[in-house]
Coordinates of all heavy atoms in Angstrom, one line a residue:
M730 N 96.5 103.9 144.5 CA 96.6 102.6 143.8 C 96.1 102.9 142.3 O 96.8 102.3 141.5 CB 95.5 101.7 144.5 CG 95.5 100.4 143.8 SD 97.0 99.6 144.2 CE 96.6 97.9 143.8
T731 N 95.2 103.8 142.1 CA 94.7 104.1 140.7 C 95.9 104.8 139.9 O 96.2 104.4 138.8 CB 93.5 105.0 140.7 OG1 92.5 104.3 141.5 CG2 93.0 105.1 139.3
I732 N 96.5 105.7 140.6 CA 97.6 106.3 139.9 C 98.8 105.4 139.6 O 99.4 105.4 138.5 CB 98.2 107.5 140.8 CG1 97.1 108.6 140.9 CG2 99.4 108.1 140.2 CD1 97.4 109.7 141.8
C733 N 99.1 104.5 140.5 CA 100.1 103.5 140.3 C 99.8 102.6 139.1 O 100.7 102.3 138.3 CB 100.3 102.7 141.6 SG 101.6 101.5 141.5
I734 N 98.5 102.1 139.0 CA 98.2 101.3 137.9 C 98.2 102.1 136.6 O 98.7 101.6 135.6 CB 96.7 100.7 138.2 CG1 96.8 99.8 139.3 CG2 96.1 100.1 136.9 CD1 95.4 99.3 139.8
A735 N 97.8 103.4 136.6 CA 97.8 104.1 135.4 C 99.2 104.4 135.0 O 99.5 104.3 133.7 CB 97.1 105.5 135.7
L736 N 100.1 104.7 135.9 CA 101.5 104.8 135.4 C 102.1 103.6 134.9 O 102.9 103.7 134.0 CB 102.3 105.5 136.6 CG 102.0 106.9 137.0 CD1 102.7 107.4 138.2 CD2 102.3 107.8 135.8
S737 N 101.9 102.5 135.6 CA 102.5 101.2 135.2 C 102.0 100.7 133.8 O 102.7 100.2 133.0 CB 102.4 100.2 136.3 OG 101.0 99.9 136.5
T738 N 100.7 101.0 133.6 CA 100.1 100.5 132.3 C 100.6 101.5 131.2 O 100.6 101.1 130.0 CB 98.6 100.4 132.3 OG1 98.0 101.6 132.8 CG2 98.2 99.3 133.2
S739 N 100.9 102.8 131.5 CA 101.2 103.6 130.4 C 102.6 103.3 129.9 O 102.9 103.6 128.7 CB 101.3 105.1 131.0 OG 102.3 105.3 131.9
I740 N 103.4 102.6 130.6 CA 104.7 102.2 130.1 C 104.5 101.2 129.0 O 105.3 101.1 128.1 CB 105.5 101.5 131.3 CG1 105.9 102.7 132.3 CG2 106.8 100.8 130.7 CD1 106.5 102.1 133.5
L741 N 103.4 100.4 129.1 CA 103.1 99.4 128.1 C 102.8 100.0 126.7 O 103.1 99.4 125.6 CB 102.0 98.4 128.5 CG 102.3 97.6 129.7 CD1 100.9 96.9 130.0 CD2 103.3 96.6 129.4
F742 N 102.4 101.2 126.7 CA 101.9 101.9 125.5 C 102.8 103.0 125.0 O 102.5 103.7 124.0 CB 100.5 102.5 125.8 CG 99.5 101.5 126.2 CD1 98.8 101.6 127.4 CD2 99.2 100.5 125.4 CE1 97.9 100.7 127.8 CE2 98.2 99.5 125.7 CZ 97.6 99.6 127.0
L743 N 104.0 103.0 125.6 CA 105.0 104.0 125.0 C 105.5 103.5 123.6 O 105.6 102.3 123.4 CB 106.1 104.1 126.0 CG 105.8 104.8 127.3 CD1 107.1 104.7 128.2 CD2 105.4 106.2 127.1
S744 N 105.8 104.4 122.8 CA 106.2 104.1 121.4 C 105.3 103.2 120.6 O 105.7 102.5 119.8 CB 107.6 103.5 121.5 OG 108.6 104.3 122.0
C745 N 104.0 103.3 120.9 CA 103.0 102.5 120.3 C 102.3 103.4 119.3 O 101.1 103.3 119.2 CB 102.1 101.9 121.4 SG 101.1 100.6 120.7
L746 N 103.0 104.2 118.6 CA 102.4 105.1 117.7 C 102.3 104.4 116.3 O 103.2 103.9 115.7 CB 103.3 106.3 117.5 CG 102.7 107.4 116.6 CD1 101.4 107.9 117.1 CD2 103.7 108.5 116.5
G747 N 101.0 104.3 115.9 CA 100.7 103.5 114.6 C 100.3 104.5 113.6 O 100.5 105.7 113.7
S748 N 99.7 104.0 112.6 CA 99.3 104.8 111.3 C 98.0 105.4 111.5 O 97.6 106.2 110.6 CB 99.4 103.9 110.2 OG 98.5 102.8 110.3
F749 N 97.2 105.1 112.6 CA 95.9 105.7 112.8 C 95.0 105.5 111.5 O 94.4 106.4 111.0 CB 96.0 107.1 113.2 CG 96.5 107.2 114.5 CD1 97.9 107.5 114.8 CD2 95.6 107.2 115.7 CE1 98.3 107.6 116.0 CE2 96.2 107.5 116.9 CZ 97.5 107.5 117.1
S750 N 94.9 104.3 111.0 CA 94.2 104.1 109.7 C 92.8 104.3 109.8 O 92.2 104.8 108.8 CB 94.5 102.7 109.2 OG 95.9 102.5 108.9
A751 N 92.1 103.9 110.9 CA 90.7 104.0 110.9 C 90.3 105.5 110.9 O 89.5 106.0 110.2 CB 90.1 103.3 112.1
F752 N 91.0 106.3 111.8 CA 90.7 107.7 112.0 C 91.1 108.5 110.6 O 90.3 109.3 110.2 CB 91.6 108.3 113.1 CG 91.4 109.8 113.3 CD1 90.3 110.2 114.0 CD2 92.3 110.7 112.8 CE1 90.1 111.6 114.2 CE2 92.1 112.0 112.9 CZ 91.0 112.5 113.6
N753 N 92.3 108.2 110.1 CA 92.6 108.8 108.8 C 91.7 108.4 107.7 O 91.5 109.2 106.8 CB 94.1 108.6 108.5 CG 95.1 109.3 109.4 OD1 94.7 110.4 109.9 ND2 96.1 108.7 109.6
G754 N 91.3 107.2 107.7 CA 90.3 106.8 106.6 C 89.0 107.6 106.7 O 88.4 107.9 105.7
L755 N 88.5 107.7 108.0 CA 87.3 108.5 108.1 C 87.5 110.0 107.7 O 86.7 110.6 107.0 CB 86.8 108.5 109.6 CG 85.6 109.3 109.9 CD1 84.3 108.8 109.2 CD2 85.3 109.3 111.4
K756 N 88.7 110.5 108.1 CA 89.1 111.9 107.7 C 89.1 112.0 106.2 O 88.6 113.0 105.6 CB 90.4 112.3 108.4 CG 90.8 113.7 108.0 CD 92.2 114.0 108.6 CE 93.2 113.1 108.0 NZ 93.8 113.4 106.7
D757 N 89.8 111.1 105.5 CA 89.9 111.2 104.1 C 88.5 111.1 103.3 O 88.3 111.7 102.4 CB 90.9 110.1 103.6 CG 92.3 110.4 104.0 OD1 92.6 111.5 104.4 OD2 93.1 109.4 104.0
W758 N 87.7 110.1 103.9 CA 86.4 110.0 103.3 C 85.6 111.3 103.5 O 85.0 111.7 102.5 CB 85.6 108.8 104.1 CG 84.2 108.8 103.6 CD1 83.8 108.2 102.6 CD2 83.0 109.3 104.3 NE1 82.3 108.3 102.5 CE2 82.0 109.0 103.6 CE3 83.0 110.1 105.5 CZ2 80.7 109.5 103.9 CZ3 81.6 110.5 105.9 CH2 80.5 110.2 105.1
N759 N 85.6 111.9 104.6 CA 85.0 113.2 104.9 C 85.6 114.3 103.9 O 84.8 115.1 103.4 CB 85.1 113.7 106.3 CG 84.3 114.8 106.6 OD1 83.1 114.9 106.2 ND2 84.9 115.8 107.3
N760 N 86.8 114.3 103.8 CA 87.5 115.4 102.8 C 87.1 115.1 101.4 O 86.9 116.1 100.7 CB 89.0 115.3 103.1 CG 89.7 116.4 102.5 OD1 89.2 117.6 102.5 ND2 90.8 116.2 101.9
D761 N 86.9 113.9 100.9 CA 86.7 113.6 99.5 C 85.2 113.5 99.3 O 84.8 113.1 98.2 CB 87.4 112.4 99.1 CG 88.9 112.5 99.2 OD1 89.3 113.7 99.1 OD2 89.6 111.5 99.3
L762 N 84.3 113.7 100.2 CA 82.9 113.5 100.2 C 82.3 114.3 99.0 O 81.6 113.8 98.1 CB 82.2 113.8 101.5 CG 80.7 113.4 101.6 CD1 80.5 111.9 101.3 CD2 80.2 113.8 102.9
T763 N 82.5 115.6 99.1 CA 82.0 116.5 98.0 C 83.1 117.5 97.6 O 84.2 117.6 98.3 CB 80.8 117.3 98.5 OG1 81.2 118.2 99.5 CG2 79.7 116.5 98.9
D764 N 82.9 118.3 96.5 CA 83.8 119.3 96.2 C 83.6 120.6 97.0 O 84.4 121.6 97.0 CB 83.7 119.7 94.7 CG 84.2 118.5 93.9 OD1 85.1 117.7 94.3 OD2 83.8 118.3 92.7
N765 N 82.5 120.7 97.7 CA 82.1 121.8 98.4 C 82.6 121.7 99.9 O 82.3 120.9 100.7 CB 80.5 122.0 98.5 CG 80.1 123.2 99.1 OD1 80.8 123.9 99.9 ND2 78.9 123.6 98.6
K766 N 83.5 122.7 100.3 CA 84.2 122.6 101.6 C 83.1 122.9 102.7 O 83.4 122.5 103.8 CB 85.4 123.6 101.7 CG 85.0 125.0 101.6 CD 86.3 125.9 101.6 CE 85.9 127.4 101.6 NZ 87.1 128.2 101.6
F767 N 82.1 123.6 102.4 CA 81.1 123.9 103.4 C 80.2 122.7 103.8 O 79.9 122.5 104.9 CB 80.2 125.1 102.9 CG 80.9 126.4 102.8 CD1 81.2 126.8 101.5 CD2 81.4 127.1 103.9 CE1 81.9 128.0 101.3 CE2 82.2 128.2 103.7 CZ 82.4 128.7 102.4
V768 N 79.9 121.9 102.8 CA 79.2 120.7 103.0 C 80.1 119.7 103.8 O 79.7 119.0 104.7 CB 78.7 120.0 101.7 CG1 78.1 118.7 101.9 CG2 77.7 121.0 101.0
N769 N 81.4 119.6 103.4 CA 82.3 118.7 104.1 C 82.5 119.2 105.6 O 82.6 118.3 106.4 CB 83.6 118.7 103.4 CG 83.6 118.1 102.1 OD1 82.7 117.3 101.8 ND2 84.7 118.2 101.3
N770 N 82.4 120.5 105.8 CA 82.5 121.0 107.1 C 81.3 120.6 107.9 O 81.4 120.3 109.1 CB 82.7 122.5 107.2 CG 83.1 123.0 108.5 OD1 83.8 122.3 109.3 ND2 82.7 124.2 108.9
L771 N 80.1 120.7 107.3 CA 78.8 120.3 108.1 C 78.9 118.8 108.4 O 78.5 118.4 109.5 CB 77.7 120.7 107.2 CG 77.3 122.2 107.1 CD1 76.1 122.4 106.1 CD2 76.9 122.7 108.5
V772 N 79.4 118.1 107.5 CA 79.5 116.6 107.7 C 80.4 116.3 108.9 O 80.3 115.5 109.7 CB 79.9 115.9 106.5 CG1 80.1 114.4 106.8 CG2 78.8 115.9 105.4
F773 N 81.6 117.1 108.8 CA 82.6 117.0 109.9 C 82.0 117.3 111.2 O 82.2 116.7 112.2 CB 83.7 117.9 109.6 CG 84.7 118.0 110.7 CD1 85.6 117.1 111.0 CD2 84.8 119.2 111.5 CE1 86.6 117.2 112.0 CE2 85.6 119.4 112.5 CZ 86.6 118.3 112.7
L774 N 81.2 118.4 111.3 CA 80.6 118.8 112.5 C 79.6 117.8 113.0 O 79.4 117.4 114.2 CB 79.9 120.1 112.4 CG 80.8 121.3 112.2 CD1 80.0 122.6 112.0 CD2 81.6 121.5 113.5
G775 N 78.8 117.2 112.0 CA 77.9 116.1 112.4 C 78.5 114.9 112.9 O 78.1 114.2 113.9
L776 N 79.7 114.6 112.3 CA 80.4 113.3 112.7 C 81.1 113.6 114.1 O 81.5 112.6 114.8 CB 81.4 112.9 111.7 CG 80.8 112.4 110.5 CD1 81.9 112.1 109.4 CD2 80.1 111.1 110.7
N777 N 81.3 114.8 114.5 CA 81.8 115.1 115.8 C 80.7 115.2 116.9 O 80.9 114.9 118.0 CB 82.6 116.5 115.8 CG 84.0 116.1 115.4 OD1 84.7 115.4 116.1 ND2 84.5 116.7 114.3
I778 N 79.5 115.7 116.5 CA 78.4 115.7 117.4 C 77.9 114.4 117.8 O 77.8 114.0 118.9 CB 77.2 116.6 116.8 CG1 77.6 118.1 116.8 CG2 75.9 116.5 117.6 CD1 76.6 119.0 116.0
I779 N 77.7 113.5 116.7 CA 77.6 112.1 116.9 C 79.0 111.6 116.9 O 79.6 111.6 115.8 CB 76.7 111.4 115.9 CG1 75.4 112.1 115.7 CG2 76.6 109.9 116.0 CD1 74.6 111.7 114.5
P780 N 79.6 111.1 118.1 CA 81.1 111.0 118.2 C 81.8 110.0 117.4 O 82.5 109.1 117.9 CB 81.2 110.8 119.6 CG 80.0 110.2 120.1 CD 78.9 110.8 119.3
F781 N 81.6 110.0 116.0 CA 82.3 109.1 115.2 C 83.8 109.4 115.2 O 84.6 108.4 115.3 CB 81.8 109.2 113.8 CG 80.4 108.5 113.5 CD1 79.3 109.1 113.4 CD2 80.4 107.1 113.6 CE1 78.1 108.5 113.2 CE2 79.2 106.4 113.4 CZ 78.1 107.1 113.2
Y782 N 84.2 110.6 115.1 CA 85.6 110.9 115.1 C 86.2 110.4 116.4 O 87.3 109.8 116.4 CB 85.9 112.3 114.8 CG 86.0 112.7 113.4 CD1 84.9 113.3 112.8 CD2 87.2 112.5 112.7 CE1 85.0 113.6 111.4 CE2 87.3 112.8 111.3 CZ 86.2 113.5 110.8 OH 86.3 113.7 109.4
G783 N 85.6 110.7 117.5 CA 86.1 110.2 118.8 C 86.2 108.7 118.9 O 87.1 108.2 119.5
L784 N 85.2 108.0 118.5 CA 85.2 106.5 118.5 C 86.2 106.0 117.6 O 86.9 105.0 118.0 CB 83.8 106.1 118.1 CG 82.7 106.3 119.1 CD1 81.4 105.8 118.5 CD2 82.9 105.6 120.3
F785 N 86.4 106.6 116.4 CA 87.4 106.0 115.5 C 88.8 106.3 116.1 O 89.7 105.4 116.1 CB 87.4 106.7 114.1 CG 86.4 106.1 113.2 CD1 85.1 105.8 113.6 CD2 86.9 105.5 111.9 CE1 84.2 105.2 112.7 CE2 85.9 104.9 111.2 CZ 84.6 104.7 111.5
F786 N 89.1 107.5 116.7 CA 90.4 107.8 117.3 C 90.6 106.9 118.5 O 91.7 106.3 118.7 CB 90.4 109.2 117.8 CG 91.8 109.7 118.3 CD1 92.8 109.9 117.4 CD2 92.0 109.8 119.6 CE1 94.0 110.3 117.9 CE2 93.2 110.2 120.1 CZ 94.3 110.4 119.2
F787 N 89.5 106.6 119.3 CA 89.7 105.8 120.5 C 90.0 104.4 120.1 O 90.9 103.7 120.6 CB 88.4 105.8 121.3 CG 88.4 105.0 122.5 CD1 89.1 105.4 123.7 CD2 87.7 103.7 122.5 CE1 89.1 104.6 124.8 CE2 87.8 103.0 123.6 CZ 88.5 103.4 124.8
G788 N 89.3 103.9 119.0 CA 89.5 102.6 118.5 C 91.0 102.4 117.9 O 91.7 101.4 118.3
D789 N 91.5 103.4 117.3 CA 92.9 103.4 116.8 C 93.9 103.3 118.0 O 94.8 102.6 118.0 CB 93.2 104.6 115.9 CG 93.0 104.3 114.5 OD1 92.9 103.1 114.0 OD2 92.7 105.3 113.7
V790 N 93.7 104.2 119.0 CA 94.6 104.4 120.1 C 94.6 103.0 121.0 O 95.6 102.5 121.3 CB 94.3 105.5 120.9 CG1 95.1 105.6 122.2 CG2 94.6 106.8 120.2
I791 N 93.4 102.6 121.3 CA 93.3 101.5 122.2 C 93.4 100.1 121.6 O 94.0 99.2 122.1 CB 92.0 101.6 123.0 CG1 92.0 102.9 123.8 CG2 91.8 100.4 124.0 CD1 93.0 103.0 124.8
V792 N 92.9 100.0 120.4 CA 92.9 98.6 119.8 C 93.9 98.5 118.6 O 94.8 97.7 118.7 CB 91.4 98.3 119.3 CG1 91.4 96.9 118.7 CG2 90.5 98.3 120.5
F793 N 93.6 99.2 117.6 CA 94.2 98.9 116.3 C 95.7 99.2 116.2 O 96.6 98.5 115.7 CB 93.5 99.7 115.1 CG 92.1 99.3 115.0 CD1 91.1 100.2 115.1 CD2 91.7 98.0 114.8 CE1 89.8 99.9 115.0 CE2 90.4 97.6 114.7 CZ 89.5 98.5 114.8
N794 N 96.1 100.4 116.8 CA 97.5 100.7 116.9 C 98.3 99.7 117.8 O 99.5 99.4 117.5 CB 97.8 102.1 117.3 CG 97.4 103.1 116.3 OD1 97.4 102.8 115.1 ND2 97.2 104.3 116.7
I795 N 97.8 99.2 118.8 CA 98.4 98.2 119.6 C 98.6 96.9 118.9 O 99.6 96.3 118.9 CB 97.6 98.0 121.0 CG1 97.7 99.4 121.8 CG2 98.2 96.9 121.7 CD1 96.8 99.4 123.0
I796 N 97.5 96.5 118.1 CA 97.7 95.3 117.3 C 98.7 95.6 116.3 O 99.5 94.6 116.1 CB 96.3 94.9 116.7 CG1 95.3 94.5 117.9 CG2 96.5 93.9 115.7 CD1 93.9 94.4 117.4
E797 N 98.8 96.7 115.6 CA 99.7 97.0 114.7 C 101.1 97.0 115.2 O 102.1 96.4 114.6 CB 99.5 98.3 114.0 CG 100.4 98.7 112.9 CD 100.1 100.1 112.3 OE1 99.1 100.6 112.6 OE2 100.9 100.5 111.4
F798 N 101.3 97.5 116.4 CA 102.6 97.5 117.1 C 103.2 96.2 117.3 O 104.3 95.8 117.1 CB 102.5 98.4 118.3 CG 103.8 98.4 119.1 CD1 104.9 99.2 118.7 CD2 104.0 97.7 120.2 CE1 106.0 99.3 119.4 CE2 105.1 97.7 120.9 CZ 106.2 98.5 120.6
W799 N 102.3 95.4 117.9 CA 102.7 94.0 118.4 C 102.8 93.0 117.2 O 103.7 92.1 117.3 CB 101.9 93.4 119.6 CG 102.1 94.2 120.8 CD1 101.3 95.1 121.3 CD2 103.3 94.2 121.6 NE1 101.9 95.6 122.5 CE2 103.1 95.1 122.7 CE3 104.5 93.5 121.5 CZ2 104.1 95.2 123.7 CZ3 105.4 93.6 122.6 CH2 105.2 94.5 123.6
S800 N 101.9 93.1 116.2 CA 101.9 92.1 115.1 C 102.8 92.6 113.9 O 103.2 91.7 113.2 CB 100.5 91.9 114.6 OG 100.0 93.0 114.0
G801 N 102.9 93.9 113.8 CA 103.8 94.3 112.7 C 102.9 94.7 111.5 O 103.5 95.1 110.4
S802 N 101.6 94.3 111.5 CA 100.8 94.6 110.3 C 99.5 95.3 110.8 O 99.1 95.2 111.9 CB 100.4 93.3 109.6 OG 99.6 92.5 110.4
N803 N 99.0 96.0 109.9 CA 97.8 96.8 110.1 C 96.6 96.1 109.6 O 96.4 95.9 108.4 CB 97.9 98.2 109.5 CG 96.9 99.2 110.0 OD1 95.7 98.7 110.3 ND2 97.2 100.4 110.0
R804 N 95.6 95.8 110.5 CA 94.4 95.0 110.2 C 93.4 95.9 109.5 O 92.5 95.3 108.8 CB 93.8 94.3 111.4 CG 94.7 93.5 112.1 CD 95.1 92.3 111.3 NE 96.1 91.4 112.1 CZ 96.8 90.5 111.6 NH1 96.8 90.4 110.3 NH2 97.6 89.8 112.3
I805 N 93.4 97.2 109.7 CA 92.5 98.1 109.1 C 92.6 98.1 107.6 O 91.5 98.2 106.8 CB 92.6 99.5 109.6 CG1 92.2 99.5 111.1 CG2 91.8 100.5 108.8 CD1 90.7 99.3 111.4
Y806 N 93.8 98.0 107.0 CA 94.0 98.0 105.6 C 93.2 96.8 104.9 O 92.9 96.9 103.7 CB 95.4 97.9 105.2 CG 96.2 99.2 105.5 CD1 97.3 99.3 106.3 CD2 95.7 100.4 105.0 CE1 98.0 100.5 106.5 CE2 96.3 101.6 105.2 CZ 97.5 101.6 106.0 OH 98.1 102.8 106.2
L807 N 92.9 95.8 105.7 CA 92.2 94.6 105.0 C 90.7 95.1 104.8 O 90.1 94.5 103.9 CB 92.1 93.5 106.0 CG 93.5 92.9 106.4 CD1 93.3 91.8 107.4 CD2 94.1 92.3 105.1
F808 N 90.1 96.0 105.5 CA 88.8 96.5 105.3 C 88.6 97.7 104.5 O 87.5 98.1 104.0 CB 88.2 96.8 106.7 CG 88.2 95.6 107.6 CD1 89.1 95.5 108.7 CD2 87.4 94.5 107.3 CE1 89.1 94.4 109.5 CE2 87.4 93.3 108.1 CZ 88.3 93.3 109.2
L809 N 89.7 98.5 104.2 CA 89.6 99.8 103.4 C 89.8 99.4 102.0 O 90.3 98.7 101.5 CB 90.7 100.7 103.9 CG 90.4 101.2 105.3 CD1 91.5 102.2 105.7 CD2 89.1 101.9 105.6

């Protein structure tokens, strides 16, 4: 039953590839944080240990990209 539900709901999310604005915004912020690539890498590791990157990616995949797909506009750009 679980496999059947997973397969049938996966059809709803096909071609739902959005711009991943939240994840890319976090990545761009981390990249532009300092001019020192070692400090940026330490911040990157910290944001992965405390799972900010995972949460931003999950939010994009499950919430924001689906909203962008069905509405045609990206709500994240309103906050960036």
Side-chain angles (χ1 to χ4, degrees):
M730 183 68 164
T731 304
I732 293 172
C733 184
I734 291 171
L736 289 174
S737 61
T738 56
S739 69
I740 293 171
L741 294 174
F742 301 119
L743 292 176
S744 298
C745 193
L746 185 62
S748 59
F749 291 91
S750 296
F752 180 79
N753 287 329
L755 179 63
K756 177 186 64 79
D757 292 341
W758 173 82
N759 185 46
N760 193 37
D761 298 335
L762 188 61
T763 66
D764 292 333
N765 188 333
K766 66 180 180 179
F767 298 107
V768 173
N769 289 350
N770 190 33
L771 286 174
V772 172
F773 171 76
L774 291 173
L776 291 175
N777 274 300
I778 291 170
I779 304 170
F781 282 107
Y782 272 100
L784 290 173
F785 274 57
F786 186 75
F787 180 78
D789 268 336
V790 169
I791 298 300
V792 178
F793 301 120
N794 285 341
I795 293 171
I796 292 171
E797 180 180 355
F798 176 76
W799 289 106
S800 71
S802 64
N803 189 330
R804 306 291 180 200
I805 291 295
Y806 286 127
L807 298 174
F808 300 109
L809 295 177

